[in-house]
Amino acid sequence: MRGLVRLYRQFMLRSMLRHKLPAAAAVLGIALGVAVMLAIRLANRSITDTFRTAVDSVSGAASLSIMGEAGRFDERKLARLEWLREYGTASPVIEGYAMLLEPGDPRLSADRVGWPRGEILHLLGIDVLVDRPIREYRLLRTSQEEREPTTEEFLRLVVDPSAVVVTERFARRKGLSIGDRIALAFGSNRKDLVIRGLLLDEGPARTLDGNFAIMDIAAAQWAFGRMGYIDRVDLRLKADIDVAAAERAIAARLPPGLRVEPPDQASSRNETMIAAFHFNLAALSGIALLVGLFLIYNTASIGVAARREEIGILQAVGAGRPTVLALVLGETVLVWGAGFALGILLARWLARGAVGATARTVETFYLAEAAEASARQLSLTRGEILLAVLITLPLALAAAFWPAWRAASIRPIEVIHGAQRMRRNLRPPRALLAAAALLALLGGGLATLPPVGGLPVFGFAAGAVLVLAAAFVVPSVLWAACWLARRAAAPLVRPLRAEFRLASANLLGSIGRVSTSVAALAVSLAMAVAIAVLVGSFRETVIYWLDSTLRADVMVRPITLNSATSEAEIGIEVLDALRRDPDVASVNWVQIRQVPYGDRGIRLAAAPLDLIMKHQTLLFKSPRDPAAAARRAIARDEVLVSESFSIRFNKRPGDEVELPTPTGRQSFRVAAVYYDYASNQGTVTVDSGTYRRRFAALGESPLPSSVGLYLRPGADPETVRQRLAETVPGAEALAIVTNSNVRREALRVFDSTFRITYALEGIAIVIAGLGIFSTLLTLIYERRQEIGLISLVGASPRQVRRMVVLEAVLLGAVSQAVGLLIGLLLAMILIYVVNVQSFGWTIQFHWPPGFVLQSTVLILAAAALFGFYPAIRAANVEALQTVRDE
């Protein structure tokens, strides 16, 4: 063992220190691959932990929650739930979100040009006298002293409708104290409240980075405009009662229109909603790691090429294959270890950026802030580090095994006579093309399989098979490119004719060696092309959808409605004021609510379908006559469903869907399916009349979540917007924007959503560029004698440099050609399989010629740039000394 360590130090470490650049490239490649993989895992954990912590903290010690089938329910039903006391303590709850209106905040100013965003508070309305056993507020402060609040101080919260209790963390961040007044936006209503207490950093106060507040339940009903309604009843069971048994017994006794479920059920729905997005990110993060492993292969190959003579001598003096194999693989472990350690350090830094992108992608602004705060506190667990080791170390050893086996197979006689260099690959075997064709057929077959648990497992498997097919097709494409360069390009470029022929001949003789590196770059470029085509196609589809459906001149909505999970509403007085404006010809509106559907949450939309059809604000997928279907839906209480709902739950026109209503679940017939790219949750739209008859208690009209204003001919949208911002009651709690600004904001959100995919793409390309660099260095080490001979027969250093740079350009060109082909196929899988199975959206394919041209030029330029240093090294080969050594 001691002898092996000495050999390792003398033959491996010394050589690796002498050839630092290839080793550094491999270390960086592994580091980036590990960092991206762990960063995405941290980001995913941060998002899901934020969901789970928020639900768990706010739920407190509640064992079960009773809520309406269709959401909030009439508080008079509480009188029929007195028997819940047999099971434990029951506390009614109002829950929602309010936005802090800070003076001077430019995001909330009257001349804003986009949807404003402010700091969101998660607000809980409770009966403070009965809720304490469920949510413990032992450290609640209602005065400047840190002590238990008195009964009188608790009662003050009950009788004062303007009282609010915020967390110490929030108050400290905003410079607030007890007795200060704050303005909050509840939907379209502004309420001026007084801070009557502070929650210390415990329990519910820790949720969402301290953006949490409580009010008395009656005050919360008044603030939210939900007088007479409650959101749920939290129940803490007695210690001797089994939760599962109690859930079954309570469900059997509940009146129609109510349901019981564990409080973590909402967290599970949210996690289900974002599971597909996280799965896709995790799959994409593997790209950087995959390409980094190709660098391990190159580094091991460089080491073998640089030490062929030494390895031959070792074999001659009695070192067996196991010894040589252990030495090369030991070097790989060292490179992997350095890269892994650096990747661990980079992971948290990359995770913060990933959290920002993923949090906003899953639709909640306050969640983005809370998730980013969570990411700052998260650290990698031992289990995650061990998992990363178990994934990356075997892959690194597998990547280095073939170079190590070649080193162990070197025979001393071959080193002495140079016989190994005489074995050169010319035309690759046709069996590789056949294997590529079979793999392509296999990938096509996998792409037709259904999702597994709602995740596009077979879609990504099809992509992986196509990537493998690319590796098999690269040798043939490289051979064809070299043949064309020698036969066609060389005669056309007379000043570089000799260099072209030498470069193509060199690569022809090294096809087996360089194919793996070219395949690595081709895979990265294929992913770049696939993502570019996906994003470009999605963007063009969204633009077309906006052009077809976004027809209102001015849009109005509450500033708190900044996510698909918020249910902010516009009051009747605001709606009447909008209708009274002299330049408003027509008003269209929609109400959005969150309702449970199976193990997921969906959106229930109510709108006047006659106005929607008049203004053509829906783009229908089926049936052929959507106008007739909409008229039938109005007359027969039928529903329209979004494409994502249709695909996710396999519902078509004529099928039945069972939806929650205040009187229980009822069946509705699907009249039509429409395209909707605003949310991937799935949306069911009903006519406002249907909503009043079937979904609203006592037949009241739904309150709009957003309003579209159609102006009279000649009216200026910007002028109307400014006037409304000054005259509509509570305008500071409203976002009033013009059509053009809505479009611009929609595209801004779209671009920010895909920012993380651009980052992953860039990292993969950088790693692959390092692959060209290390590949050329490997070729130079292997061809030192040939380069020396070329110099001796008259080639100048400039010609040698040109030859190597042309080799780099040829490698880049082949990589780009294969990358375009495979990227196109991968894009089709992403668009027609992965995207549909993950999000339920149909995207129209759009080929971006500008990107193809630009990327081709950049890849060729980058290849030449990465080949410049190896070219200098080749030109500096000591020709006479090299040949003399030979």
Side-chain angles (χ1 to χ4, degrees):
M1 183 66 182
R2 184 175 300 177
L4 183 62
V5 172
R6 183 177 302 171
L7 281 175
Y8 184 81
R9 185 173 61 250
Q10 292 294 326
F11 286 93
M12 297 299 172
L13 289 182
R14 186 180 62 182
S15 177
M16 194 160 52
L17 291 175
R18 189 165 63 243
H19 307 123
K20 299 182 183 66
L21 287 177
V27 168
L28 180 59
I30 287 294
L32 287 174
V34 170
V36 170
M37 182 182 70
L38 292 176
I40 295 300
R41 188 172 181 85
L42 270 178
N44 290 350
R45 180 153 61 92
S46 178
I47 298 293
T48 53
D49 281 0
T50 301
F51 273 125
R52 193 177 297 112
T53 301
V55 173
D56 293 346
S57 297
V58 174
S59 298
S63 310
L64 296 169
S65 294
I66 292 91
M67 56 194 68
E69 287 277 9
R72 66 184 70 106
F73 61 94
D74 194 325
E75 65 180 5
R76 287 177 293 185
K77 289 187 177 181
L78 290 176
R80 302 169 59 185
L81 299 176
E82 290 293 329
W83 50 268
L84 287 175
R85 295 178 182 175
E86 302 172 16
Y87 294 90
T89 302
S91 175
V93 174
I94 287 285
E95 188 172 12
Y97 304 102
M99 182 179 289
L100 180 67
L101 300 175
E102 298 183 84
D105 190 339
R107 295 173 297 187
L108 304 176
S109 60
D111 60 346
R112 57 184 176 264
V113 295
W115 299 119
R117 285 180 168 179
E119 193 145 8
I120 295 287
L121 282 175
H122 187 174
L123 197 141
L124 209 63
I126 56 173
D127 185 337
V128 294
L129 297 180
V130 302
D131 193 72
R132 297 184 76 187
I134 297 178
R135 277 164 285 270
E136 298 181 356
Y137 306 116
R138 291 192 306 271
L139 299 180
L140 179 70
R141 288 175 50 191
T142 56
S143 68
Q144 298 299 337
E145 304 176 15
E146 291 194 17
R147 57 176 174 80
E148 289 289 324
T150 65
T151 302
E152 179 183 353
E153 288 169 335
F154 262 126
L155 291 175
R156 190 182 302 163
L157 292 176
V158 178
V159 300
D160 186 358
S162 65
V164 65
V165 177
V166 300
T167 67
E168 265 201 334
R169 185 184 300 187
F170 175 81
R172 185 166 55 248
R173 192 168 65 241
K174 296 297 179 182
L176 300 170
S177 58
I178 295 174
D180 288 348
R181 302 187 71 86
I182 59 173
L184 295 178
F186 296 83
S188 62
N189 301 317
R190 171 194 168 121
K191 303 294 183 183
D192 293 310
L193 305 178
V194 180
I195 298 176
R196 293 298 187 189
L198 299 178
L199 289 169
L200 297 188
D201 196 18
E202 279 192 5
R206 305 187 68 176
T207 184
L208 302 173
D209 197 31
N211 285 27
F212 176 76
I214 62 172
M215 296 177 67
D216 177 68
I217 187 168
Q221 288 175 315
W222 163 76
F224 282 109
R226 303 178 190 171
M227 299 303 295
Y229 291 91
I230 61 173
D231 290 323
R232 68 174 189 271
V233 176
D234 285 342
L235 177 64
R236 180 177 182 178
L237 298 175
K238 296 176 182 177
D240 58 343
I241 296 180
D242 178 71
V243 175
E247 182 178 358
R248 291 191 297 269
I250 291 172
R253 297 178 63 180
L254 286 176
L258 297 182
R259 72 181 193 276
V260 60
E261 64 181 31
D264 60 357
Q265 189 69 35
S267 175
S268 299
R269 289 197 192 98
N270 286 328
E271 292 175 21
T272 301
M273 182 181 71
I274 62 177
F277 183 78
H278 285 173
F279 179 80
N280 293 349
L281 279 183
L284 288 175
S285 69
I287 300 166
L289 180 62
L290 176 65
V291 180
L293 295 177
F294 280 107
L295 290 182
I296 286 282
Y297 174 89
N298 280 336
T299 302
S301 297
I302 289 174
V304 172
R307 297 189 296 265
R308 286 185 71 255
E309 289 79 5
E310 296 175 356
I311 293 172
I313 293 173
L314 279 177
Q315 297 277 38
V317 297
R321 282 190 176 185
T323 300
V324 175
L325 198 66
L327 289 174
V328 178
L329 293 179
E331 181 184 48
T332 298
V333 171
L334 182 63
V335 172
W336 167 84
F340 189 85
L342 181 59
I344 293 291
L345 297 177
L346 291 174
R348 281 192 63 187
W349 177 74
L350 288 178
R352 294 183 185 180
V355 165
T358 55
R360 285 169 174 80
T361 301
V362 294
E363 302 170 323
T364 309
F365 182 72
Y366 82 85
L367 176 63
E369 302 295 336
E372 287 165 2
S374 172
R376 288 193 293 269
Q377 301 171 4
L378 283 176
S379 59
L380 290 168
T381 64
R382 292 180 180 177
E384 286 170 330
I385 295 176
L386 178 61
L387 178 64
V389 170
L390 294 177
I391 291 175
T392 58
L393 180 56
L395 289 176
L397 291 174
F401 182 79
W402 177 242
W405 183 259
R406 284 192 321 191
S409 301
I410 292 175
R411 292 184 294 176
I413 192 67
E414 291 178 344
V415 175
I416 295 171
H417 295 290
Q420 183 71 15
R421 291 193 303 275
M422 297 302 294
R423 296 182 194 164
R424 292 301 182 91
N425 297 315
L426 294 176
R427 185 164 186 167
R430 294 179 181 177
L432 293 179
L433 281 177
L438 289 175
L439 287 171
L441 290 175
L442 175 61
L446 290 172
T448 63
L449 297 177
V452 178
L455 300 177
V457 175
F458 291 114
F460 278 112
V465 170
L466 283 180
V467 167
L468 189 58
F472 279 97
V473 84
V474 160
S476 297
V477 177
L478 186 58
W479 179 87
C482 292
W483 187 87
L484 287 174
R486 185 174 57 182
R487 296 296 181 87
L492 294 176
V493 190
R494 289 187 175 275
L496 299 176
R497 181 170 52 187
E499 289 88 339
F500 256 113
R501 288 179 173 173
L502 284 172
S504 58
N506 288 334
L507 291 181
L508 276 173
S510 306
I511 285 179
R513 171 64 196 90
V514 302
S515 293
T516 304
S517 300
V518 174
L521 180 55
V523 168
S524 294
L525 297 179
M527 289 308 304
V529 171
I531 291 174
V533 173
L534 168 67
V535 174
S537 299
F538 201 177
R539 202 174 194 275
E540 290 297 319
T541 302
V542 168
I543 290 174
Y544 175 75
W545 174 69
L546 290 174
D547 291 340
S548 301
T549 62
L550 190 61
R551 299 178 180 272
D553 299 296
V554 177
M555 301 293 295
V556 182
R557 76 178 191 186
I559 57 177
T560 51
L561 189 70
N562 57 6
S563 75
T565 58
S566 181
E567 296 186 358
E569 298 169 339
I570 295 177
I572 293 296
E573 67 282 358
V574 173
L575 191 60
D576 291 339
L578 295 173
R579 287 180 172 138
R580 288 194 301 268
D581 188 273
D583 284 329
V584 174
S586 179
V587 175
N588 200 359
W589 56 267
V590 63
Q591 184 204 60
I592 302 291
R593 290 173 49 191
Q594 297 288 318
V595 297
Y597 190 87
D599 62 345
R600 295 177 180 271
I602 64 169
R603 304 198 310 171
L604 176 65
L609 292 185
D610 55 342
L611 289 178
I612 284 180
M613 298 307 297
K614 174 185 176 181
H615 296 294
Q616 298 179 353
T617 57
L618 287 181
L619 185 62
F620 286 92
K621 180 179 182 179
S622 61
R624 292 183 177 180
D625 188 358
R631 288 192 298 269
R632 188 171 60 249
I634 296 173
R636 302 180 184 176
D637 285 353
E638 295 180 351
V639 301
L640 315 179
V641 300
S642 68
E643 181 194 31
S644 58
F645 181 95
S646 172
I647 292 175
R648 191 179 301 279
F649 300 107
N650 193 28
K651 297 295 181 181
R652 303 290 183 269
D655 293 344
E656 297 285 327
V657 296
E658 192 177 73
L659 299 175
T661 73
T663 58
R665 294 189 171 271
Q666 298 184 27
S667 292
F668 296 83
R669 186 176 184 272
V670 176
V673 177
Y674 62 92
Y675 294 102
D676 177 24
Y677 299 98
S679 171
N680 70 319
Q681 282 182 270
T683 304
V684 176
T685 299
V686 301
D687 181 63
S688 54
T690 301
Y691 183 89
R692 283 191 296 270
R693 289 187 293 270
R694 307 285 290 273
F695 292 92
L698 304 179
E700 82 273 11
S701 297
L703 293 176
S705 301
S706 62
V707 175
L709 306 180
Y710 297 85
L711 305 183
R712 302 185 189 280
D716 178 52
E718 182 59 29
T719 301
V720 174
R721 186 196 68 79
Q722 292 180 0
R723 182 169 64 245
L724 293 175
E726 296 171 356
T727 60
V728 171
E732 65 179 331
L734 296 172
I736 306 175
V737 295
T738 62
N739 183 295
S740 60
N741 288 331
V742 174
R743 294 169 184 267
R744 185 163 56 247
E745 177 69 5
L747 293 178
R748 185 197 65 79
V749 172
F750 177 91
D751 291 334
S752 66
T753 295
F754 285 94
R755 192 172 298 146
I756 189 169
T757 59
Y758 296 139
L760 292 175
E761 169 191 328
I763 289 174
I765 290 177
V766 168
I767 295 175
L770 294 173
I772 282 187
F773 173 82
S774 59
T775 297
L776 291 173
L777 283 181
T778 304
L779 292 178
I780 290 168
Y781 284 124
E782 289 183 338
R783 300 199 319 259
R784 291 190 304 274
Q785 288 81 6
E786 297 170 14
I787 293 172
L789 287 172
I790 291 172
S791 300
L792 285 178
V793 298
S796 66
R798 176 180 295 182
Q799 288 178 309
V800 173
R801 286 195 297 269
R802 288 175 178 172
M803 177 189 71
V804 176
V805 169
L806 285 174
E807 290 179 23
V809 172
L810 280 172
L811 293 177
V814 171
S815 301
Q816 177 70 350
V818 176
L820 286 175
L821 173 63
I822 301 300
L824 176 61
L825 297 175
L826 287 176
M828 297 177 71
I829 290 177
L830 290 175
I831 290 173
Y832 296 118
V833 180
V834 172
N835 185 74
V836 172
Q837 293 182 0
S838 296
F839 307 112
W841 284 329
T842 295
I843 298 175
Q844 302 302 317
F845 188 88
H846 175 75
W847 178 254
F851 168 81
V852 173
L853 178 62
Q854 177 184 347
S855 65
T856 300
V857 172
L858 289 177
I859 288 300
L860 295 179
L865 181 63
F866 276 108
F868 190 70
Y869 176 77
I872 295 175
R873 292 288 299 267
N876 291 336
V877 169
E878 293 289 342
L880 190 59
Q881 183 62 41
T882 301
V883 174
R884 183 179 298 160
D885 292 340
E886 178 69 12

